[in-house]
Amino acid sequence: MIEADRNGLGIDEHFLMKYRSLLDVEEAAFDELEHAYEDGDRAHFEDDFRTWCEAVRRRANYLERCVGPATMITVSTTTTTAVITA
């Protein structure tokens, strides 16, 4: 077990458990997106893309709340483009 918040950024065991769960959700969403792409299933791809974008957005919001804003992540759900800007 790591020391609670030894760096002053709010990164402790609870933070890491929540962050890992958000990463797991994002990974699962990306896997579904990848399968839809490989299958050429456009309808499922669009839906899976929105689900994946929402997972990325939730993870970014969690990091911003807990650690602070370092990078702005912009995800467009109207097209199949995700943009990460610093």
Side-chain angles (χ1 to χ4, degrees), residues 57-71:
R57 188 181 349 263
R58 274 183 276 165
R59 184 175 54 84
N61 287 340
Y62 180 72
L63 285 175
E64 187 172 336
R65 274 193 326 272
C66 294
V67 180
T71 302

Side-chain angles (χ1 to χ4, degrees), residues 5-79:
D5 198 17
R6 83 177 139 192
N7 58 10
L9 293 175
I11 298 175
D12 58 9
E13 192 67 28
H14 174 73
F15 169 85
L16 291 175
M17 287 174 35
K18 174 68 175 175
Y19 188 71
R20 285 182 195 124
S21 72
L22 291 168
L23 285 175
D24 289 344
V25 169
E26 184 181 338
E27 181 181 12
F30 187 82
D31 286 346
E32 291 299 317
L33 176 67
E34 183 179 32
H35 290 301
Y37 177 80
E38 289 171 350
D39 294 342
D41 188 346
R42 185 65 178 190
H44 282 123
F45 178 83
E46 293 291 335
D47 186 47
D48 292 340
F49 181 75
R50 282 189 289 278
T51 301
W52 175 70
C53 287
E54 183 57 33
V56 170
R57 188 181 349 263
R58 274 183 276 165
R59 184 175 54 84
N61 287 340
Y62 180 72
L63 285 175
E64 187 172 336
R65 274 193 326 272
C66 294
V67 180
T71 302
M72 172 68 75
I73 297 178
T74 305
V75 179
S76 172
T77 58
T78 57
T79 64

